[in-house]
Every structure is written in structure tokens, then in C-alpha cells.
Amino acid sequence: FLIQLLQEGFFHADPHPGNILVMDQPRDGCRMALIDYGLVATVEQGDRDTMISSLIHLANKDYPSLVDDFVSLGILPDDCDRSLVVPLMDKAL
């Protein structure tokens, strides 16, 4: 699902086992099919790049950069108080 999101730019909001089918006859080399497209979206390349950066920043515990990523993605507001958010991330993550 990370390839689907970060490489292909497709987001399926509900990929639980009931929405995933294994096809008897592969189509175009694919054996898996997703159903229930109640909430799907495409993700622009810039946002995908920022998501990848945020994973790297999270793994490196670079919380100031992670806050910047979250602001860029619209998860946090532009005017968030970074001096409060960064220590909370450090504590929670």
C-alpha cells in the first residue's frame, strides 16, 4: 500500500481484508483487486515527496523538520507554536 500511495499517488481509505479480492485469473499480471471506492483520492507528487521526507524525519527523530513537513501537508497550521509542538512529538514518538 505504500507503493500505491507514495509511488502511484493513489489513496484507498479502507483497505481491510473485506475490500481486497484475490482474482482467479490475473489481469495484466495483477492478482489483487480492491473494491469499495467510497473514499479514494489521488496525491500530487509534491505531497508524496513531503510524505516520504516526513517518514525519513520521523525515523531520524528530526522533529523540527517533521513539523515543517506537517505544516506543508496541512496537518498543522502555518502559525502553530513549534516550540510547543516539537517537545510533544519528542515525548509521544
Side-chain angles (χ1 to χ4, degrees), residues 1 12-21 34 36:
F1 291 103
H12 187 290
D14 198 17
H16 62 78
N19 285 341
I20 301 171
L21 303 177
L34 293 173
D36 186 359

Side-chain angles (χ1 to χ4, degrees), residues 29-47:
C30 298
R31 293 189 43 98
M32 184 177 77
L34 293 173
I35 60 173
D36 186 359
Y37 289 88
L39 180 56
V40 296
T42 56
V43 182
E44 297 296 323
Q45 184 65 53
D47 287 340

Side-chain angles (χ1 to χ4, degrees), residues 4 6 13 23 25-26 41 45-46 49 54 61 65 69-70 74 84 86 92:
Q4 176 183 291
L6 300 175
M23 299 184 297
Q25 306 249 336
Q45 184 65 53
D49 293 342
S54 70
K61 298 186 179 193
S65 295
D69 294 334
F70 283 5
L84 295 176
V86 170

Side-chain angles (χ1 to χ4, degrees), residues 26-84:
R27 185 173 182 181
D28 297 328
C30 298
R31 293 189 43 98
M32 184 177 77
L34 293 173
I35 60 173
D36 186 359
Y37 289 88
L39 180 56
V40 296
T42 56
V43 182
E44 297 296 323
Q45 184 65 53
D47 287 340
R48 286 185 269 160
D49 293 342
T50 304
M51 288 177 185
I52 293 166
S53 291
S54 70
L55 292 172
I56 294 167
H57 294 142
L58 177 62
N60 291 328
K61 298 186 179 193
D62 181 357
Y63 301 126
S65 295
L66 185 60
V67 170
D68 293 338
D69 294 334
F70 283 5
V71 169
S72 177
L73 291 167
I75 297 169
L76 290 172
D78 290 334
D79 62 349
C80 72
D81 188 343
R82 286 169 166 75
S83 67
L84 295 176

